[in-house]
Amino acid sequence: MEDYRPLINDVLIRVRTELCVLESFARETAFPFIQKKGLGWILPVRETSETYVAGVVFVVGANFILLGSTKVLAILSIYHDILLGFPMRTTASLLEAISLGGEGRAVKQDEKRLKNLMEEQLKEVSKTLEKDGDVAAVNAKYAGKIEEIKKKRDERVQLKKERSGQTSKIASGVSVPLRLYGEVSLGTKRVLEAFDTFCSRYLVATTVVYTILKSVHFW
């Protein structure tokens, strides 16, 4: 282990440095300046040499900082979701299956059928409106089907409540925070991946367009 410790420490220090650069840029540079000066310098009504230089330097510097740091955040969020988020969601699904039982699974299937039917109704209504057709007739056609599925679902829900025991209640209660944590992990991963994609693909183009607009506005 001692032979590989320098490599391990150096890699961890590099990752920590990337995160510290982003944190320092946001906490010590960007946010304090925006709190003090506001956002008027980004594209003010009357461009001065100070606002021009500040805007161009800020957006160009942000490229160098964000292009590397956001990639690290995205990768960390992916690893976090693989190691913690996904197992949490899987465990929550298993606990929900235990708490729901056969009737519960049937309720979920009813809800899925109901959702699909409502989407199908919406598509048909849109097509009918485009052709100036009878929307009421379309709604009436689907109303009976939707009501029948809702009735079966409510009956199964009532039956599930009557059959649910202490184990089901415990499993259902434990699954809630696990599901919440897993979904937050997944949502965070998607947001950071989207932000990293924007920085990787569009930030440079946005910077060029902004600099051109700023220059035209100034001159």
Short mmCIF file of all heavy atoms in Angstrom, two decimals, residues 88-131:
data_model
loop_
_atom_site.label_atom_id
_atom_site.label_comp_id
_atom_site.label_asym_id
_atom_site.label_seq_id
_atom_site.Cartn_x
_atom_site.Cartn_y
_atom_site.Cartn_z
N MET A 88 -30.66 2.53 -3.35
CA MET A 88 -31.78 3.05 -2.56
C MET A 88 -33.09 2.89 -3.30
O MET A 88 -34.10 2.45 -2.73
CB MET A 88 -31.54 4.53 -2.22
CG MET A 88 -30.42 4.79 -1.25
SD MET A 88 -30.87 4.41 0.44
CE MET A 88 -29.48 5.11 1.30
N ARG A 89 -33.10 3.24 -4.58
CA ARG A 89 -34.33 3.12 -5.37
C ARG A 89 -34.74 1.66 -5.53
O ARG A 89 -35.93 1.33 -5.46
CB ARG A 89 -34.13 3.77 -6.75
CG ARG A 89 -33.97 5.27 -6.71
CD ARG A 89 -34.08 5.89 -8.10
NE ARG A 89 -33.05 5.43 -9.00
CZ ARG A 89 -31.84 5.97 -9.10
NH1 ARG A 89 -31.51 6.99 -8.33
NH2 ARG A 89 -30.96 5.50 -9.98
N THR A 90 -33.76 0.78 -5.73
CA THR A 90 -34.07 -0.64 -5.88
C THR A 90 -34.65 -1.21 -4.59
O THR A 90 -35.64 -1.95 -4.61
CB THR A 90 -32.80 -1.42 -6.26
OG1 THR A 90 -32.25 -0.87 -7.46
CG2 THR A 90 -33.11 -2.88 -6.49
N THR A 91 -34.02 -0.86 -3.47
CA THR A 91 -34.52 -1.33 -2.16
C THR A 91 -35.92 -0.79 -1.90
O THR A 91 -36.79 -1.52 -1.40
CB THR A 91 -33.56 -0.88 -1.04
OG1 THR A 91 -32.24 -1.34 -1.32
CG2 THR A 91 -34.01 -1.42 0.30
N ALA A 92 -36.14 0.47 -2.24
CA ALA A 92 -37.48 1.06 -2.04
C ALA A 92 -38.52 0.34 -2.89
O ALA A 92 -39.64 0.09 -2.43
CB ALA A 92 -37.44 2.54 -2.40
N SER A 93 -38.16 -0.02 -4.12
CA SER A 93 -39.10 -0.74 -4.99
C SER A 93 -39.44 -2.11 -4.41
O SER A 93 -40.60 -2.54 -4.44
CB SER A 93 -38.49 -0.90 -6.39
OG SER A 93 -38.28 0.35 -6.99
N LEU A 94 -38.44 -2.79 -3.86
CA LEU A 94 -38.68 -4.11 -3.25
C LEU A 94 -39.58 -3.98 -2.01
O LEU A 94 -40.50 -4.78 -1.83
CB LEU A 94 -37.34 -4.75 -2.85
CG LEU A 94 -36.44 -5.18 -4.02
CD1 LEU A 94 -35.09 -5.66 -3.50
CD2 LEU A 94 -37.09 -6.27 -4.85
N LEU A 95 -39.31 -2.96 -1.19
CA LEU A 95 -40.14 -2.76 0.00
C LEU A 95 -41.56 -2.37 -0.38
O LEU A 95 -42.53 -2.79 0.26
CB LEU A 95 -39.52 -1.67 0.88
CG LEU A 95 -38.20 -2.04 1.58
CD1 LEU A 95 -37.62 -0.84 2.29
CD2 LEU A 95 -38.42 -3.19 2.57
N GLU A 96 -41.71 -1.58 -1.43
CA GLU A 96 -43.04 -1.21 -1.90
C GLU A 96 -43.79 -2.43 -2.41
O GLU A 96 -45.00 -2.56 -2.21
CB GLU A 96 -42.93 -0.15 -3.00
CG GLU A 96 -42.53 1.22 -2.48
CD GLU A 96 -42.22 2.19 -3.61
OE1 GLU A 96 -42.26 1.77 -4.78
OE2 GLU A 96 -41.92 3.37 -3.32
N ALA A 97 -43.05 -3.32 -3.10
CA ALA A 97 -43.69 -4.55 -3.59
C ALA A 97 -44.17 -5.41 -2.43
O ALA A 97 -45.24 -6.01 -2.48
CB ALA A 97 -42.71 -5.33 -4.46
N ILE A 98 -43.36 -5.47 -1.35
CA ILE A 98 -43.75 -6.23 -0.16
C ILE A 98 -44.97 -5.62 0.50
O ILE A 98 -45.91 -6.31 0.91
CB ILE A 98 -42.58 -6.30 0.84
CG1 ILE A 98 -41.44 -7.12 0.25
CG2 ILE A 98 -43.02 -6.90 2.17
CD1 ILE A 98 -40.17 -7.09 1.07
N SER A 99 -44.96 -4.28 0.60
CA SER A 99 -46.08 -3.60 1.29
C SER A 99 -47.36 -3.65 0.47
O SER A 99 -48.46 -3.73 1.02
CB SER A 99 -45.70 -2.15 1.58
OG SER A 99 -45.52 -1.44 0.38
N LEU A 100 -47.22 -3.60 -0.85
CA LEU A 100 -48.41 -3.58 -1.70
C LEU A 100 -49.03 -4.95 -1.87
O LEU A 100 -50.26 -5.09 -1.89
CB LEU A 100 -48.05 -2.99 -3.08
CG LEU A 100 -47.70 -1.50 -3.11
CD1 LEU A 100 -47.23 -1.11 -4.49
CD2 LEU A 100 -48.89 -0.65 -2.70
N GLY A 101 -48.19 -5.98 -2.03
CA GLY A 101 -48.72 -7.32 -2.26
C GLY A 101 -49.35 -7.43 -3.64
O GLY A 101 -49.16 -6.59 -4.52
N GLY A 102 -50.13 -8.47 -3.87
CA GLY A 102 -50.75 -8.71 -5.17
C GLY A 102 -51.72 -7.63 -5.57
O GLY A 102 -51.72 -7.16 -6.71
N GLU A 103 -52.53 -7.19 -4.63
CA GLU A 103 -53.50 -6.15 -4.92
C GLU A 103 -52.81 -4.84 -5.25
O GLU A 103 -53.25 -4.09 -6.10
CB GLU A 103 -54.45 -5.97 -3.73
CG GLU A 103 -55.38 -7.15 -3.49
CD GLU A 103 -56.31 -7.40 -4.66
OE1 GLU A 103 -56.64 -6.44 -5.36
OE2 GLU A 103 -56.68 -8.56 -4.88
N GLY A 104 -51.72 -4.56 -4.53
CA GLY A 104 -50.99 -3.33 -4.77
C GLY A 104 -50.40 -3.28 -6.17
O GLY A 104 -50.43 -2.25 -6.84
N ARG A 105 -49.86 -4.42 -6.60
CA ARG A 105 -49.32 -4.46 -7.96
C ARG A 105 -50.41 -4.26 -8.99
O ARG A 105 -50.21 -3.61 -10.02
CB ARG A 105 -48.59 -5.79 -8.17
CG ARG A 105 -47.23 -5.87 -7.47
CD ARG A 105 -46.46 -7.09 -7.92
NE ARG A 105 -47.06 -8.32 -7.43
CZ ARG A 105 -46.79 -8.87 -6.26
NH1 ARG A 105 -45.94 -8.28 -5.43
NH2 ARG A 105 -47.36 -10.00 -5.88
N ALA A 106 -51.58 -4.83 -8.72
CA ALA A 106 -52.71 -4.64 -9.64
C ALA A 106 -53.13 -3.18 -9.68
O ALA A 106 -53.51 -2.66 -10.73
CB ALA A 106 -53.88 -5.52 -9.21
N VAL A 107 -53.07 -2.49 -8.52
CA VAL A 107 -53.40 -1.06 -8.46
C VAL A 107 -52.44 -0.26 -9.34
O VAL A 107 -52.84 0.63 -10.09
CB VAL A 107 -53.35 -0.55 -7.00
CG1 VAL A 107 -53.44 0.99 -6.98
CG2 VAL A 107 -54.50 -1.14 -6.20
N LYS A 108 -51.14 -0.61 -9.25
CA LYS A 108 -50.16 0.10 -10.08
C LYS A 108 -50.41 -0.13 -11.57
O LYS A 108 -50.25 0.77 -12.38
CB LYS A 108 -48.75 -0.36 -9.69
CG LYS A 108 -48.21 0.28 -8.43
CD LYS A 108 -46.71 0.23 -8.40
CE LYS A 108 -46.17 1.18 -7.36
NZ LYS A 108 -44.69 1.25 -7.38
N GLN A 109 -50.79 -1.36 -11.90
CA GLN A 109 -51.10 -1.67 -13.30
C GLN A 109 -52.32 -0.88 -13.77
O GLN A 109 -52.36 -0.39 -14.91
CB GLN A 109 -51.32 -3.16 -13.47
CG GLN A 109 -50.06 -3.99 -13.30
CD GLN A 109 -50.33 -5.47 -13.35
OE1 GLN A 109 -51.48 -5.91 -13.46
NE2 GLN A 109 -49.28 -6.28 -13.26
N ASP A 110 -53.32 -0.75 -12.88
CA ASP A 110 -54.51 0.04 -13.22
C ASP A 110 -54.14 1.50 -13.45
O ASP A 110 -54.64 2.15 -14.39
CB ASP A 110 -55.55 -0.05 -12.09
CG ASP A 110 -56.23 -1.41 -12.06
OD1 ASP A 110 -56.21 -2.10 -13.10
OD2 ASP A 110 -56.78 -1.78 -11.01
N GLU A 111 -53.26 2.03 -12.60
CA GLU A 111 -52.84 3.42 -12.75
C GLU A 111 -52.07 3.62 -14.06
O GLU A 111 -52.22 4.66 -14.72
CB GLU A 111 -51.98 3.83 -11.55
CG GLU A 111 -52.77 3.95 -10.26
CD GLU A 111 -51.90 4.29 -9.07
OE1 GLU A 111 -50.65 4.24 -9.23
OE2 GLU A 111 -52.44 4.60 -8.00
N LYS A 112 -51.26 2.63 -14.42
CA LYS A 112 -50.53 2.72 -15.68
C LYS A 112 -51.48 2.70 -16.87
O LYS A 112 -51.34 3.48 -17.82
CB LYS A 112 -49.53 1.57 -15.78
CG LYS A 112 -48.61 1.66 -16.96
CD LYS A 112 -47.58 0.55 -16.96
CE LYS A 112 -46.65 0.65 -18.16
NZ LYS A 112 -45.64 -0.44 -18.17
N ARG A 113 -52.48 1.78 -16.82
CA ARG A 113 -53.47 1.72 -17.91
C ARG A 113 -54.27 3.02 -17.99
O ARG A 113 -54.58 3.49 -19.08
CB ARG A 113 -54.41 0.53 -17.68
CG ARG A 113 -53.80 -0.81 -18.02
CD ARG A 113 -54.86 -1.88 -18.19
NE ARG A 113 -55.58 -2.11 -16.95
CZ ARG A 113 -55.25 -3.04 -16.05
NH1 ARG A 113 -54.19 -3.81 -16.27
NH2 ARG A 113 -55.94 -3.20 -14.96
N LEU A 114 -54.60 3.57 -16.82
CA LEU A 114 -55.35 4.82 -16.78
C LEU A 114 -54.54 5.96 -17.41
O LEU A 114 -55.07 6.76 -18.19
CB LEU A 114 -55.71 5.17 -15.33
CG LEU A 114 -56.57 6.41 -15.10
CD1 LEU A 114 -57.91 6.26 -15.78
CD2 LEU A 114 -56.75 6.65 -13.60
N LYS A 115 -53.25 6.02 -17.10
CA LYS A 115 -52.39 7.05 -17.67
C LYS A 115 -52.29 6.91 -19.18
O LYS A 115 -52.40 7.90 -19.92
CB LYS A 115 -51.00 6.96 -17.03
CG LYS A 115 -50.03 8.01 -17.53
CD LYS A 115 -48.67 7.85 -16.87
CE LYS A 115 -47.69 8.87 -17.43
NZ LYS A 115 -46.34 8.71 -16.82
N ASN A 116 -52.10 5.68 -19.64
CA ASN A 116 -52.00 5.45 -21.09
C ASN A 116 -53.30 5.81 -21.81
O ASN A 116 -53.28 6.37 -22.91
CB ASN A 116 -51.65 3.98 -21.36
CG ASN A 116 -50.25 3.62 -20.89
OD1 ASN A 116 -49.39 4.48 -20.77
ND2 ASN A 116 -50.03 2.35 -20.62
N LEU A 117 -54.42 5.49 -21.17
CA LEU A 117 -55.71 5.78 -21.77
C LEU A 117 -55.94 7.29 -21.86
O LEU A 117 -56.46 7.79 -22.87
CB LEU A 117 -56.83 5.12 -20.95
CG LEU A 117 -58.23 5.14 -21.56
CD1 LEU A 117 -58.26 4.37 -22.88
CD2 LEU A 117 -59.24 4.52 -20.59
N MET A 118 -55.54 8.02 -20.83
CA MET A 118 -55.71 9.47 -20.84
C MET A 118 -54.80 10.13 -21.88
O MET A 118 -55.19 11.11 -22.53
CB MET A 118 -55.41 10.03 -19.44
CG MET A 118 -56.45 9.62 -18.40
SD MET A 118 -56.08 10.19 -16.73
CE MET A 118 -56.45 11.93 -16.89
N GLU A 119 -53.60 9.59 -22.05
CA GLU A 119 -52.72 10.10 -23.10
C GLU A 119 -53.30 9.83 -24.48
O GLU A 119 -53.23 10.68 -25.38
CB GLU A 119 -51.33 9.45 -22.97
CG GLU A 119 -50.55 9.92 -21.74
CD GLU A 119 -49.22 9.20 -21.61
OE1 GLU A 119 -48.98 8.26 -22.39
OE2 GLU A 119 -48.44 9.58 -20.72
N GLU A 120 -53.87 8.65 -24.64
CA GLU A 120 -54.51 8.30 -25.91
C GLU A 120 -55.69 9.23 -26.18
O GLU A 120 -55.91 9.68 -27.31
CB GLU A 120 -54.97 6.84 -25.86
CG GLU A 120 -55.58 6.34 -27.16
CD GLU A 120 -56.06 4.90 -27.06
OE1 GLU A 120 -55.54 4.18 -26.19
OE2 GLU A 120 -56.96 4.52 -27.82
N GLN A 121 -56.46 9.53 -25.14
CA GLN A 121 -57.60 10.44 -25.28
C GLN A 121 -57.13 11.83 -25.69
O GLN A 121 -57.72 12.48 -26.57
CB GLN A 121 -58.37 10.52 -23.96
CG GLN A 121 -59.56 11.49 -24.01
CD GLN A 121 -60.19 11.68 -22.64
OE1 GLN A 121 -59.66 11.22 -21.64
NE2 GLN A 121 -61.33 12.35 -22.61
N LEU A 122 -56.04 12.30 -25.06
CA LEU A 122 -55.52 13.63 -25.37
C LEU A 122 -55.08 13.72 -26.83
O LEU A 122 -55.34 14.72 -27.52
CB LEU A 122 -54.35 13.94 -24.45
CG LEU A 122 -53.73 15.33 -24.59
CD1 LEU A 122 -54.75 16.42 -24.29
CD2 LEU A 122 -52.52 15.47 -23.66
N LYS A 123 -54.42 12.68 -27.33
CA LYS A 123 -53.98 12.67 -28.73
C LYS A 123 -55.17 12.71 -29.68
O LYS A 123 -55.17 13.44 -30.68
CB LYS A 123 -53.13 11.44 -29.00
CG LYS A 123 -51.78 11.45 -28.31
CD LYS A 123 -51.01 10.18 -28.61
CE LYS A 123 -49.66 10.19 -27.90
NZ LYS A 123 -48.90 8.95 -28.13
N GLU A 124 -56.20 11.90 -29.36
CA GLU A 124 -57.37 11.86 -30.23
C GLU A 124 -58.13 13.18 -30.20
O GLU A 124 -58.65 13.63 -31.23
CB GLU A 124 -58.29 10.70 -29.83
CG GLU A 124 -59.40 10.45 -30.84
CD GLU A 124 -60.10 9.12 -30.64
OE1 GLU A 124 -59.52 8.24 -29.98
OE2 GLU A 124 -61.23 8.98 -31.14
N VAL A 125 -58.19 13.82 -29.03
CA VAL A 125 -58.85 15.13 -28.93
C VAL A 125 -58.11 16.16 -29.76
O VAL A 125 -58.73 16.99 -30.46
CB VAL A 125 -58.94 15.58 -27.45
CG1 VAL A 125 -59.32 17.06 -27.36
CG2 VAL A 125 -59.95 14.74 -26.69
N SER A 126 -56.77 16.11 -29.71
CA SER A 126 -55.96 17.06 -30.50
C SER A 126 -56.22 16.87 -32.00
O SER A 126 -56.39 17.85 -32.74
CB SER A 126 -54.48 16.87 -30.19
OG SER A 126 -54.21 17.10 -28.84
N LYS A 127 -56.26 15.62 -32.44
CA LYS A 127 -56.53 15.35 -33.85
C LYS A 127 -57.93 15.81 -34.24
O LYS A 127 -58.15 16.34 -35.33
CB LYS A 127 -56.38 13.86 -34.13
CG LYS A 127 -54.94 13.35 -34.04
CD LYS A 127 -54.87 11.87 -34.32
CE LYS A 127 -53.44 11.35 -34.21
NZ LYS A 127 -53.36 9.89 -34.44
N THR A 128 -58.90 15.60 -33.32
CA THR A 128 -60.28 16.01 -33.60
C THR A 128 -60.39 17.53 -33.71
O THR A 128 -61.12 18.06 -34.56
CB THR A 128 -61.22 15.49 -32.49
OG1 THR A 128 -61.07 14.07 -32.36
CG2 THR A 128 -62.67 15.82 -32.81
N LEU A 129 -59.67 18.25 -32.84
CA LEU A 129 -59.69 19.70 -32.90
C LEU A 129 -59.10 20.22 -34.21
O LEU A 129 -59.57 21.21 -34.77
CB LEU A 129 -58.91 20.28 -31.71
CG LEU A 129 -59.60 20.17 -30.34
CD1 LEU A 129 -58.66 20.61 -29.24
CD2 LEU A 129 -60.87 21.02 -30.30
N GLU A 130 -58.05 19.55 -34.68
CA GLU A 130 -57.43 19.96 -35.93
C GLU A 130 -58.40 19.80 -37.11
O GLU A 130 -58.35 20.55 -38.08
CB GLU A 130 -56.16 19.13 -36.18
CG GLU A 130 -55.03 19.46 -35.21
CD GLU A 130 -53.84 18.54 -35.43
OE1 GLU A 130 -53.92 17.66 -36.31
OE2 GLU A 130 -52.83 18.71 -34.72
N LYS A 131 -59.28 18.78 -37.00
CA LYS A 131 -60.23 18.52 -38.09
C LYS A 131 -61.60 19.15 -37.84
O LYS A 131 -62.55 18.90 -38.57
CB LYS A 131 -60.40 17.01 -38.26
CG LYS A 131 -59.12 16.28 -38.64
CD LYS A 131 -59.35 14.78 -38.72
CE LYS A 131 -58.07 14.03 -39.07
NZ LYS A 131 -58.28 12.56 -39.10
#
